[in-house]
Amino acid sequence: MQGCENPQIEPLPRRALQVGYRAGAADALLGEPGTLALFGFGAGTAASTDPRCLQVALETLDAPAPLELWQVDAPVSCGRDGALRWSAGGGWLFAAIELDEREHGGPAATARLAYEQLHRFVGTREAQHVLRVWNYLGAINHGEGDAERYKHFCDGRAAGMGDFFAEGFPAATAIGHHGDEHRLQVYLLASDQPGLRVENPRQVSAWRYPRQYGRTPPSFARAMLLPAQDVLAISGTAAVVGHASAHQDDLDAQLEETLLNLDALLASAGMAAGFDPRSPLKVYVRHAANAARVRDFLQHRLPGVPLLLLHGDICRRELLVEIDGWRYA
């Protein structure tokens, strides 16, 4: 018989956190066991001093607006580190930072600082595998060519990340809010176990975009399977085929193309097509006047799926709508 004095036991895959939209008071939801993070949307959200509670700069197009709740099956600790807030529990980490560009030299320098600080903080934690990132910045499409604010953000993000994502880019979203132009919000989800990156065969990988989209290509994966492969975290997805935007000025056609891209992502992840009531989606709508039309279209095509409509500008000014979210297996 052969034996080993110190057998190596592989840890079980980390089961996913639960994400959903909930009505109710923030204090009550923060008091529930395992609350990792809670998100309100827009200026009407009640302020909270709890580090787990983030007021997202995007205004909601739903009334009444739900809150987005992240929960884990474990005790949660939380705190602040300068401009950064965090919470952790059960092998999961939430971290967020909000900066004023006027205090840090503009959009590129501020994005660089945000990612440097997040990188430094995550490096001190056990949960060092960044799986999903959200970026919300003001006036995202202002400026022409390489002077566009989104392109400055991409430059700064790449400069600040260093080797943050040496194992591969996380899934991500970048959307323009209509609040203070100088307000940058970045938040992330990390785990103590790695996920599995998923690309879309209908699209060129974002980091391989040609020069026409800026000096620095966007740095994200199209989606991420969480460690137990029980949830797909879907990046901001729009009507992009190859690397080109499709169906300019045609909202319905852009929605159709976006759903095709979502189904392609699910297939690449080994999941069946479609979404269900356990799989919440965010829908970013450029023009608030289109909200009812977008809602009707998606409620018909995705019956029963929780939808949160938000007023936000897509990173390309010709795109009218973008969708991200979660697909539970």
Side-chain angles (χ1 to χ4, degrees), residues 61-119:
L61 297 170
D62 294 302
L67 299 170
E68 181 178 348
L69 180 66
W70 293 3
Q71 291 184 311
V72 296
D73 188 18
V76 172
S77 59
C78 61
R80 295 181 184 269
D81 185 347
L84 190 147
R85 65 178 70 199
W86 63 271
S87 61
W92 296 98
L93 172 69
F94 159 72
I97 191 167
E98 183 173 322
L99 297 174
D100 187 327
E101 294 175 3
R102 291 168 293 195
E103 299 175 3
H104 302 292
T110 305
R112 176 173 184 163
L113 179 61
Y115 273 80
E116 286 175 344
Q117 292 194 15
L118 287 166
H119 184 188

Side-chain angles (χ1 to χ4, degrees), residues 22 26 37-47 52-60 65-69 136 183 185 187 282 308 310:
R22 294 272 297 275
L38 183 69
F39 305 91
F41 298 89
T45 305
R52 299 171 294 166
C53 189
L54 183 67
Q55 181 190 43
V56 177
L58 294 164
E59 295 294 332
T60 180
L67 299 170
E68 181 178 348
L69 180 66
Y136 297 129
R183 182 183 185 187
Q185 289 183 313
Y187 63 94
K282 287 193 189 74
L308 177 60
L310 298 169

Side-chain angles (χ1 to χ4, degrees), residues 21 39 73 105-106 120 139 141 154 162 216 219-220 224 226 238 259 275 307 317:
Y21 302 141
F39 305 91
D73 188 18
R120 183 164 55 248
N141 300 132
C154 288
T216 308
S219 305
F220 67 94
M224 179 76 74
L226 300 195
L259 293 183
F275 294 83
L307 302 173
R317 61 192 69 188

Side-chain angles (χ1 to χ4, degrees), residues 215-240:
R215 292 176 297 264
T216 308
S219 305
F220 67 94
R222 296 292 181 186
M224 179 76 74
L225 274 169
L226 300 195
Q229 301 190 18
D230 49 354
V231 179
L232 185 68
I234 300 170
S235 296
T237 303
V240 173

Side-chain angles (χ1 to χ4, degrees), residues 137-142 148-151 174-177 313-315:
L137 57 152
I140 193 171
N141 300 132
H142 287 197
E148 186 184 41
R149 283 173 52 81
Y150 175 61
K151 295 183 175 66
I175 289 289
H177 63 71
D313 292 337
I314 320 308
C315 63

Side-chain angles (χ1 to χ4, degrees), residues 152-317:
H152 282 299
F153 165 80
C154 288
D155 293 342
R157 171 172 56 179
M161 65 177 59
D163 64 351
F164 198 8
F165 307 131
E167 64 184 19
F169 294 124
T173 295
I175 289 289
H177 63 71
H178 293 260
D180 183 343
E181 176 180 333
H182 306 285
R183 182 183 185 187
L184 172 67
Q185 289 183 313
V186 182
Y187 63 94
L188 61 78
L189 174 69
S191 175
D192 59 356
Q193 296 180 359
L196 179 64
R197 286 151 193 84
V198 177
E199 291 298 309
N200 184 346
R202 303 183 79 239
Q203 297 177 317
V204 174
S205 293
W207 64 88
R208 293 177 175 159
Y209 279 176
R211 176 64 178 82
Q212 71 194 77
Y213 298 104
R215 292 176 297 264
T216 308
S219 305
F220 67 94
R222 296 292 181 186
M224 179 76 74
L225 274 169
L226 300 195
Q229 301 190 18
D230 49 354
V231 179
L232 185 68
I234 300 170
S235 296
T237 303
V240 173
V241 181
H243 59 73
S245 302
H247 315 299
Q248 186 167 347
D249 299 324
D250 189 333
L251 177 60
D252 287 355
Q254 287 194 20
L255 283 164
E256 286 283 3
E257 200 72 62
T258 301
L259 293 183
L260 288 173
N261 279 328
L262 290 173
D263 278 344
L265 277 173
L266 295 180
S268 291
M271 292 181 164
F275 294 83
D276 60 32
R278 298 182 305 129
S279 300
L281 300 177
K282 287 193 189 74
V283 185
Y284 305 97
V285 182
R286 179 178 292 276
H287 302 301
N290 287 336
R293 186 172 161 193
V294 170
R295 186 182 294 108
D296 289 346
F297 183 101
L298 292 175
Q299 285 179 342
H300 175 70
R301 294 294 303 275
L302 303 173
V305 174
L307 302 173
L308 177 60
L309 269 64
L310 298 169
H311 188 200
D313 292 337
I314 320 308
C315 63
R316 298 185 189 183
R317 61 192 69 188

